[in-house]
């Protein structure tokens, strides 16, 4: 139906299908009301109310005021269309400011005012607090999106109030909706404050802004601090009182000749049926909450703070506690911390105390964290505001969680360590089952963790990670983040810290609270991957705050080697090596959880598997002098040898500390048995490697997979594999001191090793004029007992480039960066004095990444074929003769990094007959760690196939060997060849063919 225009109702002309039809009756004279003989329409300052307080009359100011855009912002509602509220299939057009956006001309849903949706008094039920029935007509516009069926021709400026006033689920303790906190008034406790108590949707005749009700006063606005306070105190009353009357103050717009002022409220003044001047009793949850409680600043008549921006936040959801008292925890300053009580959307310390915002006791003492009492509240970590007054906002932390009388601190180290330290006499657990947090209240574990991380204080004191990064609060005070620089999040602004960063450990998307340092792993993931966090400093990234040569924060200059790790481990640069980026959320925080069984069942490698970030030091290992862990590996869990099988069998997973390179037999089944035990801290570098690369890993074969190798095909390299051999060997057996040949990783070739770091440090301090090494019990070498055929020392000229026959080695001496230069250089040249190569110091030590399979360290990386960059030799198997023809400075035979190539022919075998043209792998094992036969000789009959070239035992020629002390003394009879050794047997100057090497060394 179309409304006619040009019609006159009495003296009022209707100009079209717009509000003039409404104004014909609802005019300034309120003709609709007077025509009924009811007299003058009630004024807007004193509307007529029903029993619930709903203003039934005295809410329409007249046509002139309603149409005034200053008095009535609703005139700015855009034109548009909506589904007819009665017949949804019909579309009804609406003009700008149309009364029919809210009202119906004939029938309405509400009891009063002909509204098209519900509007009235409220209750504390879900219908009002969740669904918003008490103000449904308002929420049609004042929501995140307009109601279904409503379309505006231009965007609406209506504020989204529903998101603040309503809760997603029923929560009687929430404050959303500015809820009634006191019983005895017009509405039950828990009811949202009805819109009409603050607003008149038709406008103001008293100069109020934002539709503020004329009942409250005149010239009210919320655009200034003073305006906000005046508006709030038209209902609420102050904590201070008038000395003469004993009553609190409220805002009166008419006081002081219309200028307004805070005056004692009338003894009978009410708001929503509650007395504004009711007596207050601190701590009484039933007291009248219109009366504010005493705080340091903000609740008195002479204060000037903006109630909303300083404490309470959104007026439609002021942060009052369930008891109704406004607390710091519930204020806009700290409202973001509510989730620390029970949010399962992130990881955080759970505030599980009965009162998470408890204050210090009346005696000023703070709660102390203990084995029995482990509940947390805000003041478990923070001091009360009064403690840091005058010091600066940054001094908000306690100096210790264990001191009941802490001092205010602007750094976090002592606070964090007071709980996360080995000095704490008890262990803190975060979960009983490894999944569900204990106490509940945060996200379930992604990692199956039960224990909380602890830091070894003594080591931490010397760690290069122990330094502070400085942030500044808005008041200029400095905060020095130590633990927080790596844990928590960087969220500028929440606590008024200035850019470029601020620290908070309140929430984290990462279970270990790792700090993303301005970066996340992937756009689809919130939590940063472990190594990405490390690379924020250990890289040459140009987006660091302090520039590429510093840590992320610009606080610490970093050396070239420490910055090169990210590039070194990048698969684009190094296809081989450890690849932590391939694993996510596998490494467990605590040794209580990351047992050897867990490691075996959960293949992974992360930075923290080899480096303890709280203990790691700066010093690199010194080549040849010791096999003890370097500073870089300090504090890492490992697997070591037990004293003997019988002693270890009952303590396999105990935190034993014996440092004993046991003589484990190289068993045919590859099992090392119970001689390998878990250690809380590795003593030797190889013990770190043992966790994955020994039989302590019960899925060693599964981790390594099938044997893989690179094969030269005409002019390019291809990858080949075989299922008949495993890719990884058991290094606990490979290097075992009971083997007849081995590289000196566990002990020197004559059986000596350091039992402790203290022994080594003693010799180092004495320039190695002393020798504190001890010998493996029962160790016999070839020289003292030839019958044992055990490892003997090398002669001096069989090693070079700074290495000596009595040295020990690290795994990382052979495995590391394929482009690394020689480890040592002679300085000055020809002096015989070998020192760490300065060029090597710029290259990270360790098997982070490499360009050669199995992470062979440079400069020479060819094995068993000649590798890339070796010219015409590339792809051919290495032979004695081809070694003599190679003249490159890098890319040569891998062995020549330590063993001089020109000494190879000192062995008569290498220069006799056709041996010089035979590939090395015809006689020597492919994986030159160590073996059952002296001189790394193979056994075509019984050695593991993995030790043969391409996993094929037919590529090995030798079946038995007799070791000579002098390399020039070998005879034909010292070597037996297998039945598959074509060309090695028969005729003169040929070896005897025999698959059974009785009386000789074999596997």
């Amino acid at each position: 139906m179309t409304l006619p225009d040009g019609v006159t109702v009495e003296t009022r002309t209707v100009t079209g299908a717009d509000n003039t039809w409404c104004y014909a009756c609802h005019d300034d004279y309120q003709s609709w009301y007077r025509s009924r003989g009811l007299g003058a329409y009630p004024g807007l300052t004193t509307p007529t109310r029903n029993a619930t307080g709903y203003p039934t009359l005295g809410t329409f100011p007249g046509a002139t005021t309603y149409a005034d855009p200053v008095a009535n912002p609703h005139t700015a509602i855009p034109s548009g269309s909506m589904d007819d509220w009665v017949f949804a299939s019909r579309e009804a057009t609406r003009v700008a400011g149309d009364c029919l956006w809210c009202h119906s001309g004939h029938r309405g849903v509400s009891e009063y005012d002909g509204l098209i949706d519900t509007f009235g008094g409220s209750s504390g039920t879900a219908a009002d607090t969740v669904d918003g029935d008490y103000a449904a007509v308002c929420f049609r516009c004042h929501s995140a999106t307009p109601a279904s069926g409503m379309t505006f021709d231009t965007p609406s400026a209506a504020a989204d109030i529903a998101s603040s006033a309503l809760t997603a689920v029923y929560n009687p303790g929430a404050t959303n909706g500015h809820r009634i906190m006191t019983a005895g008034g017009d509405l039950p406790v828990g009811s949202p404050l009805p819109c009409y108590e603050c607003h008149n949707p038709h406008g103001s005749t008293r100069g109020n802004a934002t539709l503020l009700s004329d009942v409250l006063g005149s010239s009210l606005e919320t655009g200034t601090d003073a305006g906000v306070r005046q508006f709030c105190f038209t209902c609420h009353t102050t904590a201070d009182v008038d000395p003469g009357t004993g009553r609190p103050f409220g805002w009166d717009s008419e006081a002081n000749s219309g200028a307004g002022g805070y005056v004692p409220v009338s003894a009978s003044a009410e708001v929503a049926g509650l007395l504004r001047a009711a007596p207050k009793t601190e701590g009484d949850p039933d007291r009248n909450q219109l009366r504010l409680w005493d705080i340091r600043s903000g609740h008195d008549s002479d204060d000037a703070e903006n109630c909303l921006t300083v404490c309470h936040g959104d007026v439609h959801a002021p942060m009052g506690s369930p008891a109704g008292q406004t607390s710091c925890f519930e204020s806009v300053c700290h409202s973001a911390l509510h989730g620390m009580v029970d949010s399962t959307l992130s990881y955080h310390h759970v505030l599980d105390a009965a009162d998470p915002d408890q204050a210090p006791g009346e005696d000023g003492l703070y709660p102390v964290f203990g084995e029995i009492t482990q509940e947390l509240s805000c003041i478990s970590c923070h001091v009360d505001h009064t403690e840091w007054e005058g010091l600066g906002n940054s001094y908000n932390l306690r100096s210790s969680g264990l001191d009941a009388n802490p001092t205010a601190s602007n750094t976090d180290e002592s606070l964090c360590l007071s709980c996360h330290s080995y000095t704490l006499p008890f262990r803190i657990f975060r979960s009983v089952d490894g999944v569900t947090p204990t106490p509940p209240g945060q996200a379930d574990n992604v990692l199956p963790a039960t224990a909380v991380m602890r830091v070894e204080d003594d080591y931490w004191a010397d760690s290069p990670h122990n330094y502070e990064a400085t942030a500044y609060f808005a008041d200029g005070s400095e905060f020095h983040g130590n633990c927080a620089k790596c844990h928590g999040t960087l969220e500028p602004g929440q606590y008024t810290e200035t850019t470029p960063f601020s620290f908070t450990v309140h929430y984290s998307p990462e279970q270990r609270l790792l700090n993303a340092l301005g970066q996340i792993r992937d756009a689809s993931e919130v939590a940063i991957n472990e190594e990405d966090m490390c690379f924020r400093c250990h890289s040459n990234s140009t987006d660091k705050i302090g520039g590429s040569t510093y840590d992320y924060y610009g606080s610490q200059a970093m050396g070239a080697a420490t910055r090169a790790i990210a590039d070194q481990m990048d698969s684009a640069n190094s296809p081989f090596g450890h690849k932590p980026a391939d694993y996510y959320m596998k490494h467990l925080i605590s040794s209580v959880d990351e047992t050897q069984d867990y490691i075996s069942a959960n293949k992974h490698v992360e930075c923290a598997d080899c480096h303890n970030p709280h203990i790691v030091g700066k010093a690199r290992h010194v080549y040849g002098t010791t096999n003890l862990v370097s500073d870089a590996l300090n504090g890492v869990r490992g697997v070591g040898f037990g004293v003997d099988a019988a002693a270890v069998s009952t303590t396999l997973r105990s935190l034993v500390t014996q440092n004993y390179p046991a003589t484990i037999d190289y068993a045919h089944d590859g099992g090392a048995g119970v001689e390998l035990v878990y250690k809380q801290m590795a003593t030797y570098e190889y013990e770190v490697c043992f966790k994955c690369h020994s039989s302590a890993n019960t899925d060693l074969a599964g981790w390594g997979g099938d044997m893989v190798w690179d094969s030269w095909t005409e002019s390019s390299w291809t990858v080949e594999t075989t299922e008949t051999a495993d890719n990884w060997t058991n290094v606990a057996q490979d290097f075992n001191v009971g083997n007849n040949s081995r590289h000196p990783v566990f002990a020197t070739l004559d059986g000596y090793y350091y039992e402790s770091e203290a022994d080594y440090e003693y010799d180092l301090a004495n320039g190695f004029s002393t020798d504190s090494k001890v010998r493996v019990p029962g160790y016999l070498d070839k020289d003292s007992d030839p019958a044992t055929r055990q490892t003997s020392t090398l002669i001096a000229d069989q090693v070079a480039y700074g290495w000596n026959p009595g040295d020990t080695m690290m795994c990382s001496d052979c495995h590391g960066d394929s482009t690394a230069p020689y480890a040592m250089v002679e300085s000055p040249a020809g002096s015989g004095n070998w020192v760490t190569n300065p060029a090597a110091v710029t290259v990270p030590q360790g098997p982070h990444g490499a360009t050669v399979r199995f992470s062979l360290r440079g400069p020479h990386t060819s094995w068993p074929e000649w590798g890339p960059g070796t010219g015409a030799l590339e792809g051919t198997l290495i032979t004695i003769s081809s070694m003599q023809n190679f003249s490159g400075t890098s890319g040569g035979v891998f062995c020549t990094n330590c063993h001089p190539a020109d000494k190879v022919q000192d062995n008569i075998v290498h220069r006799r007959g056709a041996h010089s043209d035979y590939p090395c792998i015809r006689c020597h094992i492919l994986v030159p760690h160590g073996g059952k036969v002296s001189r790394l000789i193979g056994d075509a009959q019984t050695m593991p196939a993995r030790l043969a070239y391409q996993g094929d035992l037919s590529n090995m020629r030798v079946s038995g060997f007799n070791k000579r002390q002098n390399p020039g003394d070998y005879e034909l009879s010292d070597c037996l060849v297998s039945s598959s050794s074509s060309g090695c047997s028969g005729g003169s100057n040929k070896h005897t063919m025999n698959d059974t090497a009785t009386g000789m060394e074999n596997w």
Side-chain angles (χ1 to χ4, degrees):
M1 179 181 293
T2 303
L3 293 173
D5 58 14
V7 175
T8 299
V9 179
E10 295 186 357
T11 62
R12 295 173 291 280
T13 302
V14 176
T15 59
D18 54 26
N19 287 347
T20 57
W21 268 100
C22 303
Y23 299 157
C25 295
H26 296 275
D27 56 3
D28 291 342
Y29 191 63
Q30 303 291 357
S31 297
W32 72 275
Y33 186 79
R34 291 177 179 269
S35 66
R36 299 165 63 189
L38 299 175
Y41 185 70
L44 269 64
T45 60
T46 56
T48 301
R49 298 177 183 266
N50 67 7
T52 67
Y54 185 88
T56 57
L57 294 171
T59 60
F60 189 70
T64 300
T65 297
Y66 185 84
D68 182 350
V70 175
N72 177 23
H74 274 163
T75 60
I77 299 175
S79 60
S81 62
M82 62 185 293
D83 293 341
D84 188 290
W85 79 273
V86 177
F87 302 102
S89 61
R90 299 178 183 177
E91 183 179 57
T93 59
R94 299 287 181 255
V95 299
D98 204 323
C99 301
L100 297 181
W101 281 118
C102 302
H103 297 276
S104 171
H106 299 96
R107 288 175 289 178
V109 172
S110 61
E111 182 178 0
Y112 300 98
D113 301 323
L115 299 171
I116 64 174
D117 217 328
T118 55
F119 181 73
S122 62
S123 69
T125 65
D128 286 331
T129 61
V130 177
D131 300 332
D133 288 355
Y134 75 99
V137 70
C138 301
F139 295 149
R140 290 175 64 82
C141 291
H142 290 282
S143 298
T145 56
S148 176
M150 291 178 60
T151 303
F152 295 116
D153 294 335
T154 58
S156 170
D160 176 13
I161 296 173
S163 296
S164 300
L166 305 178
T167 58
V169 296
Y170 180 61
N171 180 3
T175 63
N176 304 68
H178 207 122
R179 297 192 189 184
I180 300 297
M181 296 292 183
T182 307
D186 295 336
L187 300 170
V189 171
S191 302
L193 187 67
C195 305
Y196 54 73
E197 291 292 354
C198 295
H199 299 282
N200 184 331
H202 301 118
S204 170
T205 61
R206 303 183 71 186
N208 293 332
T210 58
L211 300 174
L212 295 180
S213 173
D214 285 357
V215 174
L216 303 178
S218 62
S219 302
L220 297 174
E221 49 83 18
T222 56
T224 65
D225 292 347
V228 170
R229 289 187 64 82
Q230 292 163 12
F231 167 63
C232 293
F233 282 107
T234 59
C235 291
H236 291 283
T237 54
T238 62
D240 63 330
V241 298
D242 173 57
T245 64
R247 293 194 298 270
F249 295 93
W251 178 256
D252 185 346
S253 301
E254 302 306 317
N256 299 318
S257 301
Y262 290 93
V263 300
V265 297
S266 167
S268 60
E270 290 186 353
V271 171
L274 299 172
L275 286 172
R276 297 179 69 195
K280 63 177 181 178
T281 302
E282 295 297 341
D284 179 4
D286 295 324
R287 71 179 177 85
N288 190 333
Q289 303 300 322
L290 288 176
R291 182 85 173 271
L292 301 184
W293 58 297
D294 290 325
I295 61 172
R296 175 175 171 271
S297 179
H299 288 177
D300 290 342
S301 58
D302 58 353
D303 290 329
E305 291 92 339
N306 185 314
C307 309
L308 301 181
T309 59
V310 173
C311 288
H312 298 281
D314 191 334
V315 69
H316 299 104
M319 303 306 167
S321 70
Q325 291 179 330
T326 305
S327 66
C328 296
F329 183 60
E330 302 291 348
S331 71
V332 69
C333 300
H334 304 296
S335 61
L337 305 181
H338 289 179
M340 293 189 70
V341 175
D342 56 9
S343 174
T344 58
L345 301 179
S346 67
Y347 298 97
H348 52 87
H349 293 85
V350 177
L351 302 185
D352 58 334
D355 180 5
D357 190 39
Q358 65 178 310
E362 294 182 0
D363 55 4
L365 298 181
Y366 282 71
V368 173
F369 189 82
E371 186 169 8
I372 304 301
T373 304
Q374 296 190 1
E375 292 85 3
L376 296 179
S377 64
C378 296
I379 60 171
S380 295
C381 297
H382 295 277
V383 292
D384 200 36
H385 282 216
T386 56
E387 300 281 351
W388 48 263
E389 183 179 355
L391 296 174
N393 295 346
S394 62
Y395 286 83
N396 61 77
L397 291 183
R398 290 175 59 167
S399 55
S400 171
L402 306 180
D403 185 354
N405 191 24
T407 57
S409 174
N410 68 338
T411 186
D412 56 2
E413 180 188 2
S414 61
L415 172 66
C416 297
L417 288 181
S418 65
C419 292
H420 295 279
S421 166
Y422 271 89
T423 59
L424 197 69
F426 57 91
R427 193 79 194 235
I428 305 173
F429 290 89
R430 64 165 281 120
S431 176
V432 174
D433 60 7
V435 176
T436 308
T438 304
Q442 63 175 307
D444 285 348
N445 291 348
V446 175
L447 294 165
T450 61
V452 171
M453 179 66 188
R454 296 193 295 180
V455 176
E456 295 81 355
D457 306 54
D458 293 342
Y459 290 97
W460 170 248
D462 297 324
S463 171
H465 286 159
N466 180 10
Y467 68 91
E468 297 172 343
T470 302
Y472 297 88
F473 278 66
D475 67 347
S477 60
E478 294 183 356
F479 181 82
H480 303 288
N482 197 329
C483 304
K485 70 181 182 290
C486 293
H487 296 282
T489 55
L490 297 180
E491 298 176 355
Q494 183 180 359
Y495 301 104
T496 69
E497 296 96 335
T498 56
T499 54
F501 54 82
S502 62
F503 297 113
T504 169
V505 294
H506 294 132
Y507 297 109
S508 176
E510 213 279 344
Q511 184 175 324
R512 293 154 295 191
L513 308 185
L514 297 185
N515 195 327
L517 303 182
Q519 189 181 76
I520 58 177
R521 179 184 181 225
D522 182 88
S524 64
E525 298 179 81
V526 180
I528 192 171
N529 204 0
E530 295 93 328
E531 73 282 350
D532 287 342
M533 174 193 162
C534 302
F535 294 162
R536 296 301 289 143
C537 293
H538 292 278
S539 69
N540 288 301
S541 174
T542 57
D543 69 343
K544 298 179 186 179
I545 294 171
S548 62
T549 61
Y550 282 79
D551 69 325
Y552 174 75
Y553 296 102
S555 297
Q556 298 286 309
M558 299 183 65
T562 58
R563 289 184 282 108
I565 294 174
D567 287 338
Q568 192 185 56
M569 300 191 80
D570 188 338
S571 295
N573 303 323
S574 305
F576 306 106
H578 290 105
K579 300 299 175 191
D582 292 347
Y583 306 96
Y584 183 58
M585 296 298 279
K586 290 284 189 181
H587 176 74
L588 301 187
I589 305 169
S590 169
S591 58
V592 172
D593 299 311
E594 184 153 288
T595 63
Q596 191 56 44
D597 287 341
Y598 174 85
I599 293 173
S600 300
N602 295 273
K603 181 180 180 180
H604 69 277
V605 62
E606 296 293 352
C607 302
D609 284 303
C610 298
H611 304 282
N612 185 327
H614 301 111
I615 296 179
V616 62
K618 289 184 177 180
R620 300 156 61 93
H621 79 251
V622 179
Y623 299 96
T625 58
T626 178
N627 57 359
L628 293 163
V629 292
S630 65
D631 280 1
L633 302 182
N634 256 337
V636 182
R637 299 189 291 273
V639 170
F641 293 108
V643 175
D644 56 58
V648 173
S649 60
T650 58
T651 60
L652 182 57
R653 290 174 181 84
S654 300
L655 304 184
V656 296
T657 58
Q658 291 91 347
N659 305 322
Y660 191 98
T663 55
I664 298 174
D665 182 45
Y666 205 133
H668 292 288
D669 63 4
V674 295
E675 289 89 347
L676 295 178
V677 296
Y678 169 92
K679 297 180 67 173
Q680 176 69 12
M681 290 189 182
T683 307
Y684 306 97
E685 187 194 68
Y686 64 78
E687 293 177 333
V688 179
C689 306
F690 271 13
K691 291 188 293 185
C692 303
H693 293 280
S694 77
S695 54
N697 179 356
T698 56
D699 190 28
L700 180 66
W703 278 44
D706 295 334
M707 182 178 177
V708 177
W709 66 89
D710 297 312
S711 180
W712 181 259
T713 304
E714 295 181 353
S715 60
S716 63
W717 291 94
T718 59
V719 178
E720 296 189 25
T721 185
T722 177
E723 297 179 355
T724 61
D726 295 331
N727 204 37
W728 289 5
T729 63
N730 179 2
V731 296
Q733 294 175 326
D734 292 355
F735 296 114
N736 193 273
V737 294
N739 291 336
N740 285 357
S741 60
R742 63 180 174 85
H743 279 87
V745 172
F746 297 167
T748 65
L749 293 180
D750 52 354
Y752 289 91
Y753 69 101
Y754 282 107
E755 282 189 301
S756 70
E757 182 180 3
D759 293 336
Y760 168 72
E761 294 292 341
Y762 177 80
D763 286 353
L764 178 64
N766 288 289
F768 294 101
S769 60
T770 56
D771 189 351
S772 301
K773 293 192 293 291
V774 297
R775 203 174 202 194
V776 177
Y779 188 89
L780 297 175
D781 60 24
K782 184 74 175 181
D783 294 332
S784 60
D785 186 0
T788 66
R789 294 196 177 90
Q790 293 205 340
T791 305
S792 62
T793 58
L794 297 171
I795 58 178
D797 60 359
Q798 287 178 317
V799 287
Y801 312 116
W803 294 96
N804 297 298
D807 286 341
T808 52
M809 297 179 64
M810 302 269 198
C811 301
S812 55
D813 288 334
C814 290
H815 299 284
D817 194 312
S818 304
T819 64
Y822 281 110
M824 292 175 276
V825 293
E826 197 175 18
S827 178
S831 66
N833 179 49
W834 290 84
V835 298
T836 298
N837 187 351
V841 174
T842 63
V843 180
Q845 287 180 324
H848 298 117
T851 56
V852 177
R853 191 175 295 281
F854 299 114
S855 299
L856 300 186
R857 185 190 182 281
H860 301 301
T861 55
S862 292
W863 179 259
E865 299 96 344
W866 290 99
T870 55
L873 296 174
E874 184 172 0
T876 63
L877 285 167
I878 296 170
T879 65
I880 300 297
S881 58
S882 62
M883 287 177 64
Q884 310 308 311
N885 295 330
F886 178 77
S887 59
T889 57
S890 64
V893 177
F894 180 60
C895 307
T896 61
N897 287 320
C898 302
H899 302 283
D902 59 352
K903 296 296 182 180
V904 173
Q905 290 196 342
D906 287 359
N907 190 315
I908 191 173
V909 176
H910 291 160
R911 64 177 186 268
R912 180 174 289 173
H915 283 157
S916 62
D917 294 325
Y918 262 59
C920 302
I921 48 86
R922 298 296 185 221
C923 301
H924 296 284
I925 56 178
L926 180 68
V927 182
H929 293 155
K932 290 281 285 184
V933 180
S934 297
R935 293 305 182 221
L936 301 178
I937 299 297
D939 178 356
Q941 301 302 310
T942 56
M943 76 175 186
R946 176 61 181 88
L947 302 183
Y949 179 63
Q950 297 183 348
D952 186 351
L953 287 173
S954 67
N955 286 320
M956 175 59 61
R957 298 290 186 256
V958 180
S959 61
F961 177 70
N962 178 55
K963 179 181 179 295
R964 297 279 184 171
Q965 292 187 29
N966 190 327
D969 292 343
Y970 283 103
E971 300 177 356
L972 282 172
S973 59
D974 290 326
C975 182
L976 296 182
V977 295
S978 67
S979 57
S980 61
S981 302
S982 174
C984 291
S985 62
S988 60
N989 294 324
K990 297 287 186 176
H991 295 289
T992 301
M993 181 185 296
N994 193 331
D995 291 340
T996 303
T998 304
M1000 303 182 73
E1001 293 185 47
N1002 60 15
W1003 231 258

